[in-house]
Amino acid sequence: MTEQNHEQNYGRLIVWGADRPGIVANVSAVLAEHGANVISLDQSSSGPEGGRFFQRTVFHLPELSAEIGALSRSLEANLGEELGLEFQLVEARRRKRVAVFVSRADHCLLDLLWRQRRGELPVTVSMVVSNHPDLGDDVRQFDIPFYHVPVDKDDKATAEREQLNLLKDNVDLLVLARYMQIVSGDFLDELGVPVINIHHSFLPAFVGASPYQQAKERGVKLVGATAHYVTEDLDEGPIIEQDVIRVSHRESVRDLQRKGADVERLVLSRAVSWHCEDRVIRDGNTTVVFQGGQ
Amino acid sequence: MTEQNHEQNYGRLIVWGADRPGIVANVSAVLAEHGANVISLDQSSSGPEGGRFFQRTVFHLPELSAEIGALSRSLEANLGEELGLEFQLVEARRRKRVAVFVSRADHCLLDLLWRQRRGELPVTVSMVVSNHPDLGDDVRQFDIPFYHVPVDKDDKATAEREQLNLLKDNVDLLVLARYMQIVSGDFLDELGVPVINIHHSFLPAFVGASPYQQAKERGVKLVGATAHYVTEDLDEGPIIEQDVIRVSHRESVRDLQRKGADVERLVLSRAVSWHCEDRVIRDGNTTVVFQGGQ
Amino acid sequence: MTEQNHEQNYGRLIVWGADRPGIVANVSAVLAEHGANVISLDQSSSGPEGGRFFQRTVFHLPELSAEIGALSRSLEANLGEELGLEFQLVEARRRKRVAVFVSRADHCLLDLLWRQRRGELPVTVSMVVSNHPDLGDDVRQFDIPFYHVPVDKDDKATAEREQLNLLKDNVDLLVLARYMQIVSGDFLDELGVPVINIHHSFLPAFVGASPYQQAKERGVKLVGATAHYVTEDLDEGPIIEQDVIRVSHRESVRDLQRKGADVERLVLSRAVSWHCEDRVIRDGNTTVVFQGGQ
Amino acid sequence: MTEQNHEQNYGRLIVWGADRPGIVANVSAVLAEHGANVISLDQSSSGPEGGRFFQRTVFHLPELSAEIGALSRSLEANLGEELGLEFQLVEARRRKRVAVFVSRADHCLLDLLWRQRRGELPVTVSMVVSNHPDLGDDVRQFDIPFYHVPVDKDDKATAEREQLNLLKDNVDLLVLARYMQIVSGDFLDELGVPVINIHHSFLPAFVGASPYQQAKERGVKLVGATAHYVTEDLDEGPIIEQDVIRVSHRESVRDLQRKGADVERLVLSRAVSWHCEDRVIRDGNTTVVFQGGQ
């Protein structure tokens, strides 16, 4: 339910931390005190004792924009100070600003832009940045700025500096939509917002380069794609979503690439959508993904 | 998590009715008052206004068996009388008693018995009843009583009377595991417990007899199975679970039956498992299925 | 393997008719006599006696364009006259000319155009025709002609006449990519080329209008899409491809439409691709689809 | 079509080797000369030049048992000596004799035995061998011999010697149905028949021990199973079949094991079935699997 009119006065509250009795009741009580009506609530624990607690709540609160500050202070007092929990409180109507990095392959990029235009993705795509100029025309047809930032393999720092100038404080999420360059740890640190990558294999199978070539050589019967948060360790970040498609010995590496491309764009669009609806919580090197609720 | 030791002092509370603000907080408060710790909570609404509300909560409460009466009275006062909601409160350790009706096909029956023996299905299979004697030996190897109740097509009432004598007050659920007889509305009324059927097609496609034959003739590219609650209207009851498998023109009706059999047993075992974990709520002619939580 | 350079001198031979001993050997012998090398061969029979025979052969023959006439005459003599079989002989390099009919929903149309541009679909999209002007800009960005032919519900014949003027002799296939109008039997007869439609349900479930609404009301746990050849009987033509996606009670009709849209575009693109690679043979009201080979 | 009466006088011919023009015609001609009628033919090449050729043909030949020797000599002369191809010629009615090795987990074993009894698997299970006595009763209920051969981890050679005494010349295939011991290269060499293993992960992800534990730790969103031929390199042999099932963060390692068990038994039964229908050809470290035909 991403429609503008449905989002007015809807809030999302994500709570996580060490599990202990009474958290759900506590959160519910704070929301009720402020006049919020719980629309959907999804909660889970990693175990009965010594476990971690995760809760995603969607609520409706008249005059949410005016009330959100007071609600946040109550939550801080009740959850943060008293229970040692962390939380995130957002207005559903504030769409996340997203930058997309891409190289030459267009399928993931165009799928994201088309879904956004169609109203399926609750985001604002602020810009597309590429190390190649090829996709500029396609992007600008969506009335989205396109920046060509070439990457010199002997001086990546210069390109990263230019990228950071474009992104810094302007985006809430960076999506690597088949961006064939490694981003440095320094870049991630300085950027300070989550980064989602699509890897063209079912991780942890076939890390690194040319996964379809590797898949062909190993003779697998399914190929897949993985969307994950980017960390300094290449292809090792927390997985958000994965899917696969059946292949046979008859198919060439190029056939695998084509079939895989359909999986890549579906998997990436799901991961971006879920992240932007605040459904994904990192839990160490894994993720909690809340599928239910609005 | 169906293990015996994990179930001690765990309760499940299912609440449903007309949606209104504050239900979640109210339920949480009652549970907290009684010292119950919420382990998982899954809640959804069919819409923001005039919608229906559904909540499944798993909680831990020391001495649950002693406390459950008092808790039930509090819920009745707070949810039933005050808010007009319905609820169901069960101890997880009380396994549902299940009877299975079967004809000659063994695949769904044996899968249920094998899963129960393996500890995957949190049920007690009290008896198997068949209109044919064929599967008696297979059933008794699991130390489960088998009753042969022949059905005379001109006098079904006699067989149903005998079946009711076996079942009445002895079971919490009846599963039709490829039972090739229609059960009457009177039988359903008098039995008074839910009945789950497996239909060997992706309903509402191919209702009635010989669905694989129908599927072959229509030339579909997927065949499926549907587990649903039985109502007086054949193949029209609320659907609990469905799945499909890919087929091709090369496959004969018999091949479809074989491939479909694998889907049937998976779909039926999921539906029975979910029902017995109190994850399924009927909502008119559809179902709410809570996949999360314990 | 749809690349231009791979298609030069490649031919496809499709043979079908009443099964009898020796057909494969006969076809092989004719091809060998003409110097053709069989690249892939996929053959099946509907049964050992009284069955129907289907064979798809891809072969390489130097100077195919010059030789194809002589080869066709040999096949006619050996298969047609002697064995009473039907056959179709095509050069792989001759791409089928495709027209697309669309109304307002863009997802199936854009997916086809994008796949064609990407080199995934071995077709030439000659034109797009719509009863609404909305998608004109999107289509023309692909350098493909767009024609707006309004349909007056009280005078469909006029629109069909105009459509036939555009299509007649200019296309080898018509694709209805979510075209929300019924085409008449007269139109189909006069057009004289195959027509593929995408229906937004898993046929034969939910024929007719508003299948996602019907699906929501029936409470199904999977929604699907079906690509089929169009016959005079609405939604009853031979099925080429189907697929499904899992849904839950939480999802609204609009959510089903969105999830279903992803299935629709995949299913339609597969069906068009297979048809244009001469992989699909009609067999009564069903289809034989050869998945193997080039 | 594994029924006895359908198999009489049906033969299967598998041909493989370096691709060159005319092989299909040559094979067809030899079969035709001997009066064989081709029922189904599935053929593929790994590439147009320098590729490898694979063909599986099912044919009907009256008095096959009497004629098979002569047919084999003709094939040897025409394919082996002249074209340098390898081939395998079998009578469909001769069911492969299969031994199953198992440890304590029963799901894969029971599924194979149940499918065989049901007529789904065209094999004769000659014996079950286990390093534990636990499953003896279950096996003997199927009237199949069960042998307990304990394995001393400091003297595996003794156990392998005992196993070889049981197997040697008595079986055509060995299936490791969750056998938790490594078999040595010497054992494989001496046994001299193919060995199929089920690995409880989507290889090459999670090789080695405790794949579900590894999967939980990596936070994957799908778990799978892989059936492969056993070679000296653990988990590295040619893959025959794979499949996956969706999981979420809510599921424990034990839940993954349970869901995975359903995938394991399906994947293993498909692999064994295909192998025993002569549908699988090894091609280096990959496999060609012919899905079509009888």
Side-chain angles (χ1 to χ4, degrees), chain B residues 162-175:
Chain B
E162 190 175 344
Q163 291 164 346
L164 283 167
N165 286 343
L166 289 165
L167 299 176
K168 192 72 178 162
D169 299 327
N170 287 324
V171 300
D172 304 304
L173 174 72
L174 171 59
V175 176

Side-chain angles (χ1 to χ4, degrees), chain A residues 42-44 202 204 217-218 220-222 235-237 239-242 246 249-250 286-289, chain D residues 42-44 202 204 206 217-218 220-222 235-237 239-242 246 249-250 286-289:
Chain A
D42 211 339
Q43 173 273 331
S44 75
F202 180 79
E217 284 164 11
R218 184 63 187 90
V220 291
K221 301 303 184 184
L222 302 164
D235 301 338
E236 294 290 336
I239 292 169
I240 303 169
E241 170 64 344
Q242 304 186 288
R246 190 160 283 274
H249 67 273
R250 299 210 189 233
T286 69
T287 63
V288 168
V289 180
Chain D
D42 211 338
Q43 171 273 331
S44 74
F202 179 81
F206 311 130
E217 284 164 12
R218 184 62 188 90
V220 291
K221 302 302 184 184
L222 303 165
D235 301 338
E236 294 291 335
I239 292 169
I240 303 169
E241 170 65 344
Q242 305 186 286
R246 189 161 284 275
H249 66 273
R250 298 208 190 236
T286 68
T287 63
V288 168
V289 181

Side-chain angles (χ1 to χ4, degrees), chain A residues 14 42-44 54-56 227-229 238-242 270-283 286-293, chain B residues 42 291-293, chain C residues 250, chain D residues 219-221 246-251:
Chain A
I14 319 300
D42 211 339
Q43 173 273 331
S44 75
F54 309 96
Q55 181 176 327
R56 178 180 184 269
H228 63 94
Y229 288 116
I239 292 169
I240 303 169
E241 170 64 344
Q242 304 186 288
R270 283 186 211 139
V272 171
S273 180
W274 295 342
H275 174 89
C276 292
E277 291 169 1
D278 302 297
R279 296 179 180 280
V280 190
I281 310 178
R282 289 200 201 189
D283 178 27
T286 69
T287 63
V288 168
V289 180
F290 289 118
Q291 303 279 5
Chain B
D42 211 339
Q291 304 279 5
Chain C
R250 299 210 189 235
Chain D
V220 291
K221 302 302 184 184
R246 189 161 284 275
V247 297
S248 83
H249 66 273
R250 298 208 190 236
E251 284 159 296

